[in-house]
Amino acid sequence: MLTAIVGTNWGDEGKGRMVDLLSSDYDIVIRYQGGNNAGHTVINEKGKFILNLLPSGILRENTVNVMGCGMVIDIEHLYNEAKRLTDKGISITPDNLKISEKAVICMPYHRLLDNLEEDRLRDMAYGSTRRGIAPVYGDKYMKKSVRMIDLLNPETLEKKVRGLVEWKNLMIKGGYGTEAVDAGEMISWLRKYGDWLKPFICDTTLLLSAAIKEEKNILFEAQLGALKDIDFGIVPYTTSSSTIAAYAPIGSGVPFAKLDRVIGITKAYSSAVGEGPFTAELFGEEAAKLREAGGEYGAATGRPRRVGPFDVVATKYGVIIQGATEIALTKLDVLSYMDKIPVCVAYEIDGERTTDFPIGDRLDRAKPVYEYMEGFKTDISGCRKPGDLPKAALDYIKFIEEAISCRIKYVSVGPSRDQYVIM
Ligand code: GDP
């Protein structure tokens, strides 16, 4: 069984928590895109963990975790993330962590360039996490990157890095006018973390082809959501990788593989980080209440997130783009405090109502059209089966299910492993 878990919105839908819940049924968990620019928060009996790079299956014994070729990996960050986990008793070995030899390394100069560019843009900034993700993907497509395989041959690594640094300094020193990057320092950095990393590097195509042949259960774990996708999202306020389920086989090393299930993770309300259009946005006190109730602060950066009601237009689009076969609706418990639950059921653009997600300046001009559902006004975090849920919560679930034309299979009512209902 090949299953992808993806976000249907702007990210932070609670994918990490669903992967943690479902990973018990899977032999292999794979991250196939992105870097340490977002984070999954997972709470289980061992504690609270923030994972930026490692697949969530790392918290389960007997699960093999793969970091695929579609990822960009800051190896210093990976080293520190792994250390935080091993300090809490999680075992990370070459048996349970496999890193693609084709994955690209996010270098310190990518972080530097991300910062330089965001600073240059000032009030026009993209709202980048400044972790080097856009610059490193840019270099990947310019075919000027260091890959994991390069760590295995010190001589070619050194030659390559010297060439790359010379090229990067044209921009860093010549363009931005800041201090040039030192190639020797980059090489030492790569050696320092690369030596630790070497035993984990492998050919994930071989590994996963064999696993597929043996009919192993494989889970593909996405970072961010459909609206942050480089092709289908709210460009340029997106991430720089493909967050779409269809990319999962490619970014893992098995482009020929076909997915059996795509679980779209959808939050019971909306949140977004960074700049860009966010049509159903709440402000002021209403926003503060929802942000507090949902703990909507970035897992990677601690930044307060923008929040709003559930957005039917954006989510319906996300469900289609992801090819979701079923939905996990998360954080329904967060809405318990509301008397009336607002839902954005359509956009109004230039006086016309639409439920088709627009792009470009039409999206900028879109205004939310709200409907109000009855609040459930009761703590639902203890509910474990549909019959435990109040009627107003069931009505809300049904309303969303119909509006986005996809079956809601799981409803999450709290952050812990057992706080969910199968519908
Ligand atoms: P991800 O990147 O999609 O995994 O999203 P986040 O890391 O932002 O996870 C969402 C946050 O909400 C985490 O702190 C989770 O522990 C928490 N969370 C996930 N599901 C639920 C839920 O159903 N209810 C509540 N109250 N919190 C949840």
Side-chain angles (χ1 to χ4, degrees):
M1 172 79 79
L2 269 56
T3 303
I5 294 197
V6 294
T8 61
N9 301 113
W10 298 265
D12 307 314
E13 297 95 345
K15 291 178 297 296
R17 175 252 188 292
M18 287 310 296
V19 175
D20 179 63
L21 171 66
L22 298 171
S23 58
S24 63
D25 300 334
Y26 289 84
D27 307 297
I28 301 176
V29 178
I30 309 174
R31 271 281 308 268
Y32 61 90
Q33 45 81 227
N36 58 322
N37 47 324
H40 290 311
T41 314
V42 179
I43 299 171
N44 62 28
E45 72 282 354
K46 290 186 189 136
K48 179 173 175 173
F49 301 92
I50 292 182
L51 303 171
N52 300 133
L53 284 166
L54 290 162
S56 307
I58 203 77
L59 303 174
R60 296 249 180 208
E61 273 164 43
N62 308 320
T63 304
V64 173
N65 295 272
V66 174
M67 298 173 74
C69 58
M71 286 191 78
V72 288
I73 302 172
D74 178 334
I75 57 177
E76 180 179 353
H77 191 103
L78 179 59
Y79 173 84
N80 289 322
E81 188 173 316
K83 185 151 186 330
R84 275 199 302 277
L85 263 64
T86 48
D87 286 350
K88 283 193 186 170
I90 305 290
S91 149
I92 301 179
T93 69
D95 289 327
N96 74 349
L97 179 63
K98 314 273 182 186
I99 303 174
S100 167
E101 57 190 8
K102 298 187 184 74
V104 168
I105 297 176
C106 183
M107 301 284 294
Y109 56 72
H110 292 123
R111 270 185 250 148
L112 173 66
L113 280 162
D114 208 352
N115 276 293
L116 290 171
E117 181 57 9
E118 284 287 285
D119 289 343
R120 188 189 71 83
L121 288 168
R122 289 200 196 94
D123 56 341
M124 300 283 282
Y126 293 136
S128 163
T129 53
R130 297 176 179 244
R131 297 202 165 173
I133 307 303
V136 66
Y137 272 114
D139 283 2
K140 171 175 170 166
Y141 284 91
M142 292 200 47
K143 299 158 290 178
K144 288 179 187 292
S145 49
V146 185
R147 303 205 291 175
M148 288 295 168
I149 188 85
D150 300 323
L151 294 175
L152 304 182
N153 186 330
E155 266 169 45
T156 48
L157 178 72
E158 179 159 350
K159 205 164 147 217
K160 186 170 194 177
V161 172
R162 289 198 183 281
L164 287 174
V165 168
E166 188 183 304
W167 172 68
K168 284 275 99 162
N169 278 333
L170 295 177
M171 182 66 116
I172 293 167
K173 189 155 181 278
Y176 289 104
T178 39
E179 203 182 322
V181 169
D182 181 66
E185 271 177 33
M186 292 300 111
I187 293 160
S188 313
W189 182 86
L190 283 162
R191 290 214 177 112
K192 180 172 174 193
Y193 300 105
D195 283 346
W196 165 76
L197 215 134
K198 274 181 198 167
F200 300 101
I201 299 172
C202 71
D203 181 343
T204 61
T205 302
L206 283 180
L207 175 89
L208 295 175
S209 307
I212 292 171
K213 218 175 235 165
E214 289 165 30
E215 298 188 357
K216 295 254 195 247
N217 287 327
I218 302 178
L219 191 59
F220 300 88
E221 175 185 19
Q223 173 215 42
L224 297 166
L227 297 157
K228 291 282 181 181
D229 179 74
I230 184 73
D231 291 299
F232 298 96
I234 48 167
V235 180
Y237 303 101
T238 59
T239 193
S240 300
S241 63
S242 180
T243 62
I244 301 299
Y247 185 75
I250 298 175
S252 308
V254 282
F256 46 82
K258 303 258 184 303
L259 298 174
D260 301 297
R261 285 173 82 189
V262 177
I263 306 177
I265 312 297
T266 302
K267 197 150 61 182
Y269 56 93
S270 303
S271 76
V273 287
E275 301 303 317
F278 184 45
T279 309
E281 182 164 12
L282 291 178
F283 299 94
E285 203 181 309
E286 268 185 310
K289 263 195 194 159
L290 183 53
R291 185 178 301 116
E292 268 328 294
E296 295 296 341
Y297 298 90
T301 59
R303 290 190 289 186
R305 292 176 183 150
R306 300 161 75 187
V307 292
F310 186 88
D311 183 334
V312 168
V313 183
T315 310
K316 187 172 70 98
Y317 173 75
V319 166
I320 292 169
I321 293 298
Q322 293 289 16
T325 56
E326 63 219 83
I327 296 292
L329 187 70
T330 63
K331 299 185 105 165
L332 187 62
D333 56 301
V334 170
L335 303 183
S336 298
Y337 75 92
M338 291 184 176
D339 294 323
K340 294 264 175 212
I341 307 174
V343 181
C344 173
V345 292
Y347 291 173
E348 197 182 289
I349 307 169
D350 305 332
E352 274 183 39
R353 206 176 146 133
T354 182
T355 56
D356 293 330
F357 191 72
I359 63 165
D361 59 337
R362 270 172 55 77
L363 177 58
D364 295 336
R365 291 199 304 279
K367 305 250 179 329
V369 178
Y370 292 123
E371 271 180 26
Y372 294 83
M373 305 276 304
E374 210 47 56
F376 28 98
K377 294 296 282 175
T378 167
D379 179 6
I380 58 165
S381 61
C383 297
R384 295 292 176 272
K385 47 186 195 310
D388 297 343
L389 288 165
K391 181 173 178 302
L394 289 169
D395 287 348
Y396 186 73
I397 295 166
K398 185 118 196 78
F399 181 85
I400 288 177
E401 194 165 53
E402 279 169 15
I404 62 175
S405 305
C406 194
R407 178 175 170 227
I408 295 176
K409 172 140 188 225
Y410 307 91
V411 174
S412 169
V413 293
S416 298
R417 218 175 235 176
D418 66 333
Q419 289 183 297
Y420 69 95
V421 175
I422 295 187
M423 300 303 290

